Amino acid sequence: MAGPGGFFLRSRAGEEPGSTMSETILITGGRIIDPANGIDGPGDVLIRNGKIAAVGVSEHPDGAVRIDATGLIVCPGLIDLHVHLRTPGFEQKETIATGTAAAAAGGFTAVCCMPNTRPALDSVETLNLLAETIAAEASVRVFPIAAISMGRKSEEAVDFDALAAAGAIGFSDDGDSTRDSKLMRAALDASKRLDRPVMVHCEDWTLADGAMNEGDVSRSLGIKGIPAEAEEIIIARDLLLSAMTGGWLHVCHVSTARGAEMIRLAKERGVRVTAEVMPHHLVMTDAWVAGERTMHNTNEPAGAPGAPKDPNTKVNPPLRPESDTKGLLTELQRGTFDIVATDHAPHAEPEKGGSSFEKAAMGMSGLELALPTMLALVRAGHLSLNDVIRWLTIEPAKLLRMPLGTLTPGADADLCIFDPEATWTVTPETLRTKSPNTPLLGMTLQGRVRYTLVQGEVRFNG
Ligand code: DOR
Ligand code: ZN
Ligand code: ZN
């Protein structure tokens, strides 16, 4: 089931055999950016039978459907290795249909879904049932991540080999750390023979019993904090276990500068570690919990102050002080992070808005906000557009071991076409996700996806 053509989406072409897939599409007048092939310049893209036929062409075949990309950027479809799609079990928060609609609206053509579902993605049976829902509902590719431990309880290992054979692209107990170090060792051993990552959520469970970052802001708000060390202690453990076993460790959502530095040093010593950083940890700080709405590291105008203790600012790992946003950005610039991912974590009203900050669920909706947030860092001069697109396309494709994330002729025609200038205001109505839990609500962002194509089929047009 694994592989780019396998475990994913409904084929609309199947409704009327061949009709959409055999279409010839010509995308004209855009700026093509394909980091995998070192392309950045004006040109047209020709799509035939769902595949990239040519890039930069002047050939204009008769009968081709034309997409006018004047003023737009044409790049490979974005790939997100870290999303929560909530199926099975939490469909009040998100469904495969709404989560993949949000993905398409954010420019993503492939997403990997985390296993903290009910039941957890810890058996071949559950994975197979999920595959059926994906086949029926998904509008972009979905690749599942299986649990490390049965029920994500950190007691008994899953059957890594069977789950990989059933399509799991990696293993994670995300939402929690795998407490049992011996189990982590076994997972890392499995990662070697399967060539799939162990994707770790690093959080010492004894220290991480707070609701936001531990620091000046938590003390002034009287909220129990989560120290940076809670994350860094488990990053250190897992780096040591990776060095010991030679297994493939992928560190999820690094939120502290020191955590990133430890990963860089481990990489320099040859440890087999990859890592991701999230847009929200690059621009938002713990001051957002107190109501600040400044996009750090950018030149964007600040949003109107939010209410203190807005549950939409509660995320795990938490928003950290400004020094960490700066440190993470520096580490991203120096190549410490392999990819940018979203940790899209939709939550319904009762788990978020209905309760106190302390009781509210952790997580932010992210799929539709990642690209505009990263573009703000590009406009501020900190990152190149080429690098941002690289971290969202070919780099995650490499970690997936799949021939995605490029516009190489012959590749599946997965594309994102976006307007880097267009401004829009974040509201529940402008988002496709079922759960618009983001502290960016009400703020105006720049950069809007216009078309998302998967295998040459338009899956979003806005
Ligand atoms: O903020 C988070 N939300 N962090 C996690 O680790 C889990 C996620 C979720 O599932 O809501
Ligand atoms: Zn996590
Ligand atoms: Zn997560």
Side-chain angles (χ1 to χ4, degrees):
M1 288 290 263
F7 203 136
F8 61 101
L9 48 99
R10 168 173 47 148
S11 171
R12 299 226 171 99
E15 289 156 17
E16 199 186 313
S19 63
T20 326
M21 294 280 285
S22 61
E23 215 165 50
T24 301
I25 301 171
L26 186 67
I27 302 165
T28 59
R31 172 179 166 195
I32 304 169
I33 301 183
D34 181 16
N37 289 305
I39 294 173
D40 181 355
D44 300 344
V45 177
L46 184 65
I47 298 171
R48 271 205 193 96
N49 302 322
K51 307 260 187 212
I52 303 290
V55 173
V57 283
S58 51
E59 181 199 353
H60 288 185
D62 289 343
V65 174
R66 200 179 269 256
I67 293 178
D68 181 6
T70 308
L72 308 181
I73 288 166
V74 179
C75 67
L78 311 184
I79 301 172
D80 190 349
L81 249 56
H82 190 151
V83 306
H84 296 267
L85 291 181
R86 306 303 191 204
T87 296
F90 299 104
E91 288 83 356
Q92 78 279 12
K93 298 173 192 258
E94 194 79 287
T95 64
I96 297 294
T98 60
T100 58
F108 290 91
T109 53
V111 297
C112 302
C113 60
M114 280 293 178
N116 59 339
T117 50
R118 193 172 55 207
L121 305 183
D122 61 7
S123 73
V124 170
E125 292 70 28
T126 307
L127 226 49
N128 287 344
L129 284 172
L130 175 62
E132 284 176 25
T133 313
I134 291 166
E137 290 183 21
S139 52
V140 305
R141 302 172 196 266
V142 180
F143 301 110
I145 298 162
I148 293 171
S149 61
M150 295 304 294
R152 298 171 48 259
K153 291 201 173 90
S154 198
E155 289 163 3
E156 185 193 342
V158 298
D159 184 337
F160 298 107
D161 299 71
L163 287 162
I169 61 90
F171 301 95
S172 180
D173 279 345
D174 187 40
D176 296 290
S177 285
T178 307
R179 300 180 183 205
D180 187 321
S181 303
K182 199 167 156 192
L183 219 157
M184 264 302 291
R185 180 182 183 176
L188 286 161
D189 277 334
S191 79
K192 276 192 299 185
R193 57 173 191 273
L194 298 168
D195 196 29
R196 282 169 172 70
V198 181
M199 306 166 79
V200 288
H201 167 117
C202 295
E203 177 181 33
D204 179 286
W205 45 98
T206 57
L207 283 173
D209 58 348
M212 67 174 293
N213 176 66
E214 181 176 309
D216 292 344
V217 183
S218 69
R219 283 187 281 275
S220 76
L221 291 172
I223 295 173
K224 184 149 200 239
I226 304 171
E229 287 77 0
E231 182 171 341
E232 294 156 357
I233 285 168
I234 303 300
I235 293 178
R237 179 200 69 169
D238 290 351
L239 287 171
L240 289 168
L241 290 172
S242 170
M244 173 194 186
T245 57
W248 179 3
L249 182 73
H250 177 83
V251 184
C252 291
H253 46 48
V254 179
S255 76
T256 78
R258 190 165 54 182
E261 191 186 356
M262 286 158 57
I263 291 164
R264 174 166 50 78
L265 294 174
K267 281 187 168 187
E268 284 168 13
R269 290 180 184 186
V271 177
R272 195 173 168 204
V273 56
T274 55
E276 64 191 30
V277 67
M278 279 39 193
H280 53 265
H281 287 131
L282 292 168
V283 302
M284 299 176 191
T285 66
D286 56 353
W288 281 52
V289 182
E292 188 201 88
R293 289 294 180 271
T294 302
M295 299 263 272
H296 293 263
N297 299 317
T298 78
N299 302 324
E300 305 307 296
K309 301 194 189 186
D310 175 356
N312 286 340
T313 60
K314 186 173 176 185
V315 63
N316 194 17
L319 301 178
R320 303 288 189 185
E322 190 180 26
S323 54
D324 284 311
T325 67
K326 294 210 175 311
L328 291 174
L329 182 60
T330 302
E331 295 294 347
L332 181 59
Q333 290 164 330
R334 356 175 21 159
T336 302
F337 293 107
D338 299 82
I339 61 166
V340 170
T342 69
D343 201 7
H344 177 73
H347 287 291
E349 260 311 284
E351 298 97 66
K352 265 291 185 194
S355 45
S356 69
F357 186 86
E358 280 80 357
K359 287 191 186 139
M362 292 173 149
M364 288 183 189
S365 200
L367 281 165
E368 295 161 90
L369 305 159
L371 182 60
T373 303
M374 296 309 293
L375 291 177
L377 293 165
V378 172
R379 279 195 303 280
H382 295 306
L383 305 172
S384 73
L385 184 54
N386 187 82
D387 277 342
V388 165
I389 293 175
R390 189 167 61 78
W391 291 317
L392 287 165
T393 58
I394 187 63
E395 298 298 342
K398 283 186 205 161
L399 301 190
L400 281 172
R401 309 283 193 246
M402 291 181 195
L404 299 171
T406 91
L407 301 179
T408 305
D412 279 357
D414 290 10
L415 287 99
C416 164
I417 304 174
F418 66 94
D419 183 343
E421 309 291 337
T423 55
W424 59 290
T425 301
V426 183
T427 67
E429 294 71 37
T430 53
L431 298 174
R432 302 282 167 116
T433 174
K434 196 167 183 178
S435 297
N437 49 285
T438 164
L440 294 171
L441 280 177
M443 289 178 67
T444 297
L445 301 181
Q446 193 174 328
R448 195 77 166 125
V449 174
R450 293 298 179 215
Y451 295 91
T452 303
L453 280 76
V454 180
Q455 287 184 316
E457 296 182 26
V458 176
R459 294 301 171 95
F460 174 78
N461 176 210

